[in-house]
Amino acid sequence: QVRLVESGGGSVEAGGSLRLSCAASGHPASRNSMAWFRQTPAMEREGVVVYRADGSTAYADSVVGRFTISQDNTKNTLYLQMNNLKPEDTAMYYCAADDRLRWFRAEDYNYWGQGTQVTVSS
């Protein structure tokens, strides 16, 4: 069983930065894909970035050059550094994991955290 706990959300002004964390438990083989998704009441859950055990990483076009994913294996923690935030980045951000190699389809992920809210004001 995998448990994911997000933290680091908050409210910032446009142009600001936040770093989200996702603390993961469970066997590493259950987390061959880890990803950040985001969702607002007006849109379906959207993939932001995927980090896979085969070394591949993919970012949504809207965050390329602004968001960076990283992982601290000693702490079993996934990070999302978000710079130059824009009001359209406002959303609930979710950490997700799956034991298979996945990309941006939310329905492919078996494990989800509870989410952390990011609000960016103009």
Side-chain angles (χ1 to χ4, degrees), residues 3-110:
R3 183 167 181 255
L4 305 172
V5 179
E6 303 98 332
S7 61
S11 298
V12 296
E13 294 185 350
S17 298
L18 285 172
R19 189 177 79 157
L20 305 184
S21 299
C22 173
S25 63
H27 197 282
S30 298
R31 296 181 269 120
N32 284 320
S33 296
M34 293 197 72
W36 287 98
F37 286 80
R38 63 187 181 187
Q39 188 172 22
T40 69
M43 72 176 186
E44 294 182 353
R45 200 162 290 192
E46 171 191 49
V48 176
V49 58
V50 175
Y51 182 93
R52 301 178 2 151
D54 63 359
S56 55
T57 304
Y59 292 89
D61 290 344
S62 59
V63 306
V64 169
R66 301 188 298 121
F67 290 12
T68 304
I69 194 169
S70 61
Q71 188 172 19
D72 184 339
N73 290 326
T74 64
K75 298 181 180 179
N76 289 323
T77 301
L78 187 73
Y79 299 103
L80 181 64
Q81 178 66 44
M82 305 187 296
N83 297 328
N84 191 22
L85 282 160
K86 303 176 180 180
E88 52 263 43
D89 294 319
T90 295
M92 184 72 80
Y93 282 71
Y94 296 91
C95 180
D98 196 78
D99 58 350
R100 300 183 69 177
L101 296 178
R102 304 294 191 184
W103 290 113
F104 282 129
R105 278 165 41 103
E107 55 265 40
D108 288 340
Y109 288 79
N110 277 319

